[in-house]
């Protein structure tokens, strides 16, 4: 409860200082950030499938956010 509520409050507070597109990219990259911060405490074997999946997640999130922005600006 606390992490969800505090996370959303910080997200909406951050919208005052950066654009929604940038905040959405940061928010959707949350699983990657969690992995980076938790890796020293809970080491996982980094297999090629795992690394490929992480790269695909990052590329798709950034592409979808940038593509959506170009699509709305051309209308």
């Amino acid at each position: 409860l606390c992490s969800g509520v505090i996370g959303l409050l910080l997200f909406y507070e951050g919208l005052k200082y950066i654009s929604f597109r940038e905040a959405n990219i940061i928010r959707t990259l949350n699983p990657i950030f969690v992995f980076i911060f938790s890796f020293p405490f809970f080491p996982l074997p980094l297999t090629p499938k795992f690394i490929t999946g992480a790269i695909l997640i990052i590329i798709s999130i950034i592409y979808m956010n940038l593509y959506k922005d170009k699509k709305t600006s051309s209308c």
Side-chain angles (χ1 to χ4, degrees):
L1 177 68
C2 288
S3 64
V5 172
I6 293 172
L8 279 176
L9 288 175
L10 291 174
F11 174 71
Y12 289 122
E13 186 68 26
L15 287 176
K16 295 178 183 176
Y17 303 105
I18 61 175
S19 71
F20 180 74
R21 181 178 58 88
E22 292 169 344
N24 197 30
I25 290 173
I26 293 169
R27 185 180 62 86
T28 53
L29 287 173
N30 188 32
I32 305 299
F33 293 141
V34 169
F35 171 74
I36 291 170
F37 289 126
S38 65
F39 185 73
F41 304 106
F42 307 105
L44 295 171
L46 293 178
T47 63
K49 289 182 183 180
F50 191 83
I51 295 171
T52 304
I55 291 170
L56 286 174
I57 289 171
I58 293 170
I59 291 171
S60 65
I61 288 170
I62 293 173
Y63 175 76
M64 290 301 290
N65 282 299
L66 294 177
Y67 179 71
K68 189 187 313 180
D69 187 44
K70 289 180 185 178
K71 185 178 175 183
T72 57
S73 65
S74 66
C75 292

